């Protein structure tokens, strides 16, 4: 399916400098069907903002029949341009990551979902995904009841509560913020030094103890194994393809079709807004 790319500069109430957040939108292009509507997916990036690998990843999702929004996470500190995959860029991105308020990350997610649901080519059924920092942001996006599925690739800082100022992701899970919400998928490489085994075990236990609908995948890979550029020898194209297919099955099943209200096994209807 052909795709198009554009962007929207969305006002932010929490940006101390009054800067908008730029959200790139990649969408299916069907000229003969100008009124077609598609589900939406928010793709959250690494600490380098919307780079070539992130855009290509988002484009692959869009080409499957989804409207994809890619927010630029560090609008409080710089413009929407990508941060280089080098030592200076890594240091800059890591500094921005911890200096940013978690409430501001949450606003970015809310504004991205708001944008998708406002677009004439989006049907309002929303999922989320992301990698590294973006994996954590996709995890937090699942707190929004409008997000029906989140697939999180090697999400950093969840186990250590070090996303930014005010990180409370696991404590929110413990308080029931994900219980009864959408479907969650956590994907980690077993050789990922950013999220070691005790951290992965803590995340899995916290989610399962809270009765969250979650699939937890641990694969033979390192951190950043889906990044097809400047991955420092860690990119695994075959594994990426396999897990992309897994992700698309989740998205097709949860947001790709309108199945009506969910009914639990006791017969109670759960109305999904």
């Amino acid at each position: 399916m052909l795709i198009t790319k554009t962007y929207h500069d969305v006002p932010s109430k929490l940006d101390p400098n009054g800067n908008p957040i730029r959200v790139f939108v990649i969408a299916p292009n069907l000229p003969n069907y100008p009124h077609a509507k598609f589900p939406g997916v928010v793709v959250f990036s690494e600490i380098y903002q919307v780079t070539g690998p992130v855009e290509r990843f988002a484009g692959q999702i869009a080409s499957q029949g989804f409207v994809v929004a890619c927010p630029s996470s560090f609008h409080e500190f710089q413009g929407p341009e990508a941060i280089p995959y080098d030592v200076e860029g890594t240091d800059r991105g890591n500094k921005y990551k911890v200096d940013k308020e978690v409430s501001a990350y949450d606003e970015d997610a809310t504004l991205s979902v708001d944008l998708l649901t406002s677009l004439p080519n989006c049907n309002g059924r929303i999922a989320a995904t992301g990698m590294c920092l973006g994996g954590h942001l996709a995890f937090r996006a699942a707190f929004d009841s409008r997000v029906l599925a989140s697939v999180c690739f090697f999400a950093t800082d969840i186990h250590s509560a070090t996303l930014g100022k005010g990180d409370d992701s696991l404590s929110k899970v413990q308080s029931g913020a994900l219980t009864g919400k959408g479907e969650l998928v956590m994907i980690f490489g077993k050789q990922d030094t950013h999220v070691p085994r005790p951290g992965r075990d803590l995340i899995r236990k916290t989610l399962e103890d809270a009765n969250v609908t979650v699939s937890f995948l641990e694969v033979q890979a390192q951190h950043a194994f889906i990044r097809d550029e400047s991955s420092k020898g860690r990119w695994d194209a075959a594994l990426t393809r396999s897990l992309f297919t897994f992700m698309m099955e989740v998205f097709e099943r949860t947001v790709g079709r309108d199945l009506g209200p969910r009914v639990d096994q006791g017969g109670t209807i759960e109305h999904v807004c």
Side-chain angles (χ1 to χ4, degrees):
M1 193 177 297
L2 297 177
I3 56 176
T4 60
K5 177 186 174 184
T6 186
Y7 66 84
H8 298 256
D9 288 332
V10 182
S12 165
K13 294 181 180 178
L14 297 182
D15 190 302
N17 303 309
N19 297 325
I21 175 175
R22 176 159 295 181
V23 182
F24 297 95
V25 175
I26 305 174
N29 180 26
L30 297 176
N32 294 329
Y33 297 90
H35 304 295
K37 290 181 178 290
F38 306 94
V41 177
V42 184
V43 172
F44 295 97
S45 68
E46 314 157 285
I47 59 170
Y48 306 98
Q49 299 214 103
V50 184
T51 59
V54 173
E55 182 178 332
R56 289 189 288 274
F57 180 78
Q60 291 183 57
I61 297 172
S63 192
Q64 300 290 326
F66 295 81
V67 184
V68 180
C70 303
S72 301
S73 294
F74 295 141
H75 53 95
E76 296 90 348
F77 310 110
Q78 68 161 61
E81 64 275 4
I83 296 173
Y85 287 121
D86 58 20
V87 173
E88 185 278 330
T90 299
D91 290 344
R92 192 191 338 161
N94 277 320
K95 182 179 188 305
Y96 291 164
K97 179 189 73 171
V98 298
D99 285 348
K100 180 159 177 162
E101 298 281 349
V102 170
S103 59
Y105 283 120
D106 292 343
E107 186 199 41
D108 293 348
T110 298
L111 292 175
S112 298
V113 175
D114 288 348
L115 174 63
L116 282 174
T117 58
S118 74
L119 296 176
N121 60 344
C122 181
N123 65 13
R125 299 182 63 79
I126 308 298
T129 187
M131 63 290 294
C132 192
L133 162 66
H136 194 155
L137 298 182
F139 182 92
R140 290 191 66 87
F143 296 139
D144 187 332
S145 61
R146 297 175 296 175
V147 176
L148 304 180
S150 285
V151 177
C152 310
F153 288 89
F154 40 90
T156 52
D157 302 303
I158 295 177
H159 66 290
S160 54
T162 51
L163 170 63
K165 297 178 179 179
D167 186 354
D168 58 353
S169 295
L170 283 188
S171 63
K172 285 177 70 71
V173 173
Q174 291 170 330
S175 67
L178 287 181
T179 306
K181 295 283 184 67
E183 183 169 342
L184 186 68
V185 178
M186 306 299 296
I187 301 172
F188 291 102
K190 297 191 77 170
Q191 289 78 47
D192 187 341
T193 57
H194 293 262
V195 190
R197 180 179 173 180
R200 301 194 303 271
D201 290 345
L202 174 63
I203 296 168
R204 177 172 47 236
K205 182 178 187 304
T206 303
L207 290 168
E208 292 181 350
D209 287 350
N211 198 29
V212 175
T213 302
V214 60
S215 298
F216 203 98
L217 281 68
E218 293 179 290
V219 296
Q220 299 301 322
Q222 301 179 60
H223 192 71
F225 67 87
I226 67 172
R227 190 203 301 161
D228 64 1
E229 177 184 321
S230 301
S231 67
K232 301 176 183 178
R234 298 172 294 183
W235 179 39
D236 189 326
L239 183 58
T240 298
R241 182 175 64 250
S242 176
L243 292 172
F244 184 87
T245 301
F246 185 96
M247 176 181 69
M248 294 313 302
E249 185 280 328
V250 174
F251 289 170
E252 288 284 356
R253 176 166 46 79
T254 56
V255 302
R257 297 168 179 81
D258 188 348
L259 303 179
R262 175 177 172 177
V263 179
D264 65 22
Q265 293 184 355
T268 302
I269 295 178
E270 300 179 9
H271 293 282
V272 179
C273 299

